[in-house]
Protein backbone atom coordinates (compact mmCIF):
# COMPACT_ATOMS: atom_id res chain seq x y z
CA UNK A 1 0.00 0.00 0.00
CA UNK A 2 1.41 3.36 -1.00
CA UNK A 3 1.55 5.89 1.80
CA UNK A 4 1.46 9.06 -0.28
CA UNK A 5 -1.42 10.70 1.60
CA UNK A 6 0.15 9.91 4.98
CA UNK A 7 3.49 11.39 3.98
CA UNK A 8 1.90 14.50 2.46
CA UNK A 9 -0.43 15.21 5.39
CA UNK A 10 2.25 14.59 8.06
CA UNK A 11 4.68 16.79 6.10
CA UNK A 12 2.10 19.58 5.90
CA UNK A 13 1.49 19.31 9.65
CA UNK A 14 5.20 19.48 10.50
CA UNK A 15 5.79 22.27 7.99
CA UNK A 16 2.92 24.27 9.45
CA UNK A 17 4.37 23.85 12.95
CA UNK A 18 7.84 24.93 11.78
CA UNK A 19 6.45 27.99 10.00
CA UNK A 20 4.50 28.87 13.12
CA UNK A 21 7.63 28.55 15.27
CA UNK A 22 9.77 30.62 12.86
CA UNK A 23 7.26 33.47 12.37
CA UNK A 24 6.13 33.75 15.96
CA UNK A 25 9.58 33.08 17.43
CA UNK A 26 8.28 31.26 20.46
CA UNK A 27 7.41 27.67 20.85
CA UNK A 28 5.81 26.49 24.07
CA UNK A 29 4.94 23.08 25.43
CA UNK A 30 1.31 23.60 24.35
CA UNK A 31 2.47 24.29 20.80
CA UNK A 32 4.50 21.07 20.78
CA UNK A 33 1.46 19.15 22.02
CA UNK A 34 -0.73 20.72 19.33
CA UNK A 35 1.88 19.84 16.72
CA UNK A 36 2.00 16.20 17.87
CA UNK A 37 -1.80 15.92 17.92
CA UNK A 38 -2.09 17.53 14.47
CA UNK A 39 0.64 15.24 13.14
CA UNK A 40 -1.08 12.17 14.63
CA UNK A 41 -4.43 13.20 13.12
CA UNK A 42 -2.73 13.85 9.76
CA UNK A 43 -1.09 10.41 9.93
CA UNK A 44 -4.41 8.66 10.72
CA UNK A 45 -6.37 10.55 8.05
CA UNK A 46 -3.62 9.88 5.50
CA UNK A 47 -3.57 6.20 6.43
CA UNK A 48 -7.35 5.93 5.99
CA UNK A 49 -7.21 7.77 2.66
CA UNK A 50 -4.42 5.48 1.39
CA UNK A 51 -6.38 2.43 2.54
CA UNK A 52 -9.50 3.69 0.74
CA UNK A 53 -7.53 4.24 -2.48
CA UNK A 54 -6.08 0.72 -2.22
CA UNK A 55 -9.54 -0.82 -1.74
CA UNK A 56 -10.92 1.18 -4.67
CA UNK A 57 -8.05 0.01 -6.87
CA UNK A 58 -8.55 -3.62 -5.80
CA UNK A 59 -12.31 -3.36 -6.40
CA UNK A 60 -11.77 -1.98 -9.90
CA UNK A 61 -9.31 -4.78 -10.66
CA UNK A 62 -11.79 -7.33 -9.30
CA UNK A 63 -14.57 -5.89 -11.50
CA UNK A 64 -12.28 -6.08 -14.54
CA UNK A 65 -11.45 -9.71 -13.77
CA UNK A 66 -15.16 -10.45 -13.31
CA UNK A 67 -15.92 -8.86 -16.70
CA UNK A 68 -13.17 -10.93 -18.35
CA UNK A 69 -14.55 -14.09 -16.78
CA UNK A 70 -18.09 -13.37 -17.96
CA UNK A 71 -16.85 -12.31 -21.40
CA UNK A 72 -15.19 -15.66 -22.06
CA UNK A 73 -17.84 -17.95 -20.54
CA UNK A 74 -19.01 -20.44 -23.17
CA UNK A 75 -22.66 -19.84 -22.23
CA UNK A 76 -24.59 -16.72 -23.22
CA UNK A 77 -24.67 -14.09 -20.45
CA UNK A 78 -26.92 -11.03 -20.64
CA UNK A 79 -26.86 -8.28 -18.03
CA UNK A 80 -29.87 -5.97 -18.08
CA UNK A 81 -31.48 -3.32 -15.91
CA UNK A 82 -35.08 -2.19 -16.28
CA UNK A 83 -35.26 -4.40 -19.39
CA UNK A 84 -32.38 -2.51 -21.09
CA UNK A 85 -29.34 -4.59 -22.04
CA UNK A 86 -26.16 -3.28 -20.39
CA UNK A 87 -23.72 -6.07 -21.28
CA UNK A 88 -23.57 -9.27 -23.33
CA UNK A 89 -20.71 -11.71 -23.67
CA UNK A 90 -19.38 -13.21 -26.91
CA UNK A 91 -21.58 -16.31 -26.63
CA UNK A 92 -24.71 -14.12 -26.34
CA UNK A 93 -23.59 -12.06 -29.36
CA UNK A 94 -23.23 -15.24 -31.38
CA UNK A 95 -26.55 -16.68 -30.15
CA UNK A 96 -28.48 -13.51 -31.13
CA UNK A 97 -26.56 -13.31 -34.46
CA UNK A 98 -25.05 -9.90 -33.66
CA UNK A 99 -21.86 -8.71 -35.34
CA UNK A 100 -20.82 -6.80 -32.22
CA UNK A 101 -22.06 -5.81 -28.77
CA UNK A 102 -23.23 -2.39 -29.94
CA UNK A 103 -26.08 -4.05 -31.84
CA UNK A 104 -27.46 -5.31 -28.51
CA UNK A 105 -26.37 -2.89 -25.77
CA UNK A 106 -29.00 -0.25 -25.05
CA UNK A 107 -31.83 -2.28 -26.58
CA UNK A 108 -34.74 -3.72 -24.65
CA UNK A 109 -34.73 -7.45 -23.94
CA UNK A 110 -38.34 -7.38 -25.13
CA UNK A 111 -37.06 -6.67 -28.65
CA UNK A 112 -35.94 -10.31 -28.68
CA UNK A 113 -38.51 -12.13 -26.54
CA UNK A 114 -41.48 -13.71 -28.28
CA UNK A 115 -44.58 -13.72 -26.12
CA UNK A 116 -47.02 -16.57 -26.40
CA UNK A 117 -49.01 -18.78 -24.06
CA UNK A 118 -45.97 -20.98 -23.38
CA UNK A 119 -43.65 -18.20 -22.25
CA UNK A 120 -42.86 -17.99 -18.56
CA UNK A 121 -41.66 -14.38 -18.45
CA UNK A 122 -44.05 -13.54 -15.60
CA UNK A 123 -42.54 -16.37 -13.57
CA UNK A 124 -39.07 -14.89 -14.05
CA UNK A 125 -40.26 -11.44 -12.92
CA UNK A 126 -42.03 -12.81 -9.83
CA UNK A 127 -38.95 -14.74 -8.76
CA UNK A 128 -36.68 -11.74 -9.21
CA UNK A 129 -39.02 -9.45 -7.29
CA UNK A 130 -38.75 -11.87 -4.37
CA UNK A 131 -34.95 -11.64 -4.72
CA UNK A 132 -34.71 -15.34 -5.59
CA UNK A 133 -32.87 -16.82 -8.55
CA UNK A 134 -35.27 -18.26 -11.08
CA UNK A 135 -35.00 -21.87 -12.08
CA UNK A 136 -34.32 -22.67 -15.69
CA UNK A 137 -37.13 -21.46 -17.92
CA UNK A 138 -37.33 -21.94 -21.68
CA UNK A 139 -38.31 -18.83 -23.65
CA UNK A 140 -38.48 -18.13 -27.36
CA UNK A 141 -36.15 -15.50 -28.78
CA UNK A 142 -36.03 -13.83 -32.17
CA UNK A 143 -32.46 -13.39 -33.38
CA UNK A 144 -31.30 -10.39 -35.39
CA UNK A 145 -31.36 -12.53 -38.54
CA UNK A 146 -35.05 -13.35 -37.90
CA UNK A 147 -34.50 -16.96 -36.85
CA UNK A 148 -36.52 -18.12 -33.82
CA UNK A 149 -34.63 -20.04 -31.12
CA UNK A 150 -35.45 -21.58 -27.75
CA UNK A 151 -33.33 -20.23 -24.89
CA UNK A 152 -33.15 -21.92 -21.50
CA UNK A 153 -32.41 -19.12 -19.04
CA UNK A 154 -31.75 -18.68 -15.34
CA UNK A 155 -31.81 -15.14 -13.94
CA UNK A 156 -30.61 -13.61 -10.69
CA UNK A 157 -30.40 -10.17 -9.13
CA UNK A 158 -26.82 -8.97 -8.85
CA UNK A 159 -24.60 -5.87 -8.79
CA UNK A 160 -22.83 -4.46 -11.86
CA UNK A 161 -20.91 -1.18 -11.87
CA UNK A 162 -22.64 -0.23 -8.61
CA UNK A 163 -26.17 -0.81 -9.95
CA UNK A 164 -28.70 -3.51 -9.15
CA UNK A 165 -29.12 -5.55 -12.32
CA UNK A 166 -30.48 -8.85 -13.57
CA UNK A 167 -27.87 -11.38 -14.64
CA UNK A 168 -29.31 -13.91 -17.08
CA UNK A 169 -27.32 -16.93 -18.16
CA UNK A 170 -28.48 -19.82 -20.29
CA UNK A 171 -28.08 -21.85 -23.42
CA UNK A 172 -29.66 -22.33 -26.81
CA UNK A 173 -31.85 -25.44 -26.59
CA UNK A 174 -33.41 -25.19 -30.04
CA UNK A 175 -31.93 -28.50 -31.24
CA UNK A 176 -32.93 -30.25 -28.00
CA UNK A 177 -36.46 -28.85 -28.29
CA UNK A 178 -36.77 -30.01 -31.92
CA UNK A 179 -35.51 -33.45 -30.97
CA UNK A 180 -37.94 -33.69 -28.04
CA UNK A 181 -40.85 -32.53 -30.21
CA UNK A 182 -39.87 -35.09 -32.87
CA UNK A 183 -39.77 -37.89 -30.28
CA UNK A 184 -43.15 -36.81 -28.87
CA UNK A 185 -44.65 -36.80 -32.36
CA UNK A 186 -43.27 -40.29 -33.04
CA UNK A 187 -44.57 -41.62 -29.71
CA UNK A 188 -48.02 -40.14 -30.44
CA UNK A 189 -48.02 -41.82 -33.85
CA UNK A 190 -47.00 -45.12 -32.29
CA UNK A 191 -49.76 -44.74 -29.70
CA UNK A 192 -52.30 -44.14 -32.50
CA UNK A 193 -51.05 -47.15 -34.41
CA UNK A 194 -51.33 -49.23 -31.23
CA UNK A 195 -54.91 -48.05 -30.70
CA UNK A 196 -55.83 -48.90 -34.31
CA UNK A 197 -54.56 -52.47 -33.93
CA UNK A 198 -56.77 -53.03 -30.85
Amino acid sequence: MKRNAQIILVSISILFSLVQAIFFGEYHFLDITECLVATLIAWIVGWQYDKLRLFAKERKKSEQNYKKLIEWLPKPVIIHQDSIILFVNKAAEKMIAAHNKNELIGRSIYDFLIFDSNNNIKEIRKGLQKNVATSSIVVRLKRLDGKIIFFEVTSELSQYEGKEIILSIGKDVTDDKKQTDSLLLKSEKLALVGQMED
Side-chain angles (χ1 to χ4, degrees), residues 42-149:
W43 183 81
I44 291 171
V45 169
W47 176 64
Q48 289 294 327
Y49 181 76
D50 287 335
K51 205 163 106 175
L52 180 66
R53 285 182 54 201
L54 177 68
F55 288 144
K57 186 176 180 182
E58 287 175 353
R59 182 176 178 203
K60 187 171 185 165
K61 186 175 181 181
S62 176
E63 280 183 14
Q64 289 171 343
N65 288 339
Y66 183 67
K67 275 185 179 179
K68 282 182 187 176
L69 173 69
I70 288 176
E71 181 67 39
W72 293 104
L73 276 175
K75 293 193 177 206
V77 176
I78 302 167
I79 296 175
H80 51 99
Q81 180 186 40
D82 300 326
S83 304
I84 302 300
I85 298 171
L86 302 175
F87 176 84
V88 293
N89 68 351
K90 292 196 181 292
E93 280 180 58
K94 184 177 176 184
M95 180 188 72
I96 301 292
H99 298 292
N100 60 49
K101 293 176 193 288
N102 295 333
E103 289 183 72
L104 303 174
I105 293 175
R107 291 185 66 176
S108 172
I109 58 170
Y110 298 114
D111 292 348
F112 304 99
L113 289 171
I114 297 174
F115 294 95
D116 58 21
S117 59
N118 297 327
N119 255 336
N120 296 318
I121 305 300
K122 290 179 184 175
E123 190 177 324
I124 294 172
R125 282 188 183 157
K126 284 179 187 176
L128 292 173
Q129 287 171 347
K130 294 177 185 174
N131 209 9
V132 177
T134 60
S135 57
S136 292
I137 297 172
V138 177
V139 295
R140 291 186 338 149
L141 296 177
K142 184 175 183 180
R143 296 172 18 138
L144 290 175
D145 61 5
K147 183 178 175 187
I148 306 297
I149 61 169

Side-chain angles (χ1 to χ4, degrees), residues 137-177:
I137 297 172
V138 177
V139 295
R140 291 186 338 149
L141 296 177
K142 184 175 183 180
R143 296 172 18 138
L144 290 175
D145 61 5
K147 183 178 175 187
I148 306 297
I149 61 169
F150 290 91
F151 183 57
E152 184 178 358
V153 63
T154 300
S155 297
E156 181 172 310
L157 286 174
S158 188
Q159 292 286 321
Y160 177 73
E161 294 179 350
K163 303 175 207 167
E164 191 170 89
I165 52 91
I166 298 172
L167 174 74
S168 298
I169 186 168
K171 63 181 178 179
D172 182 350
V173 292
T174 305
D175 293 337
D176 297 343
K177 182 87 169 132

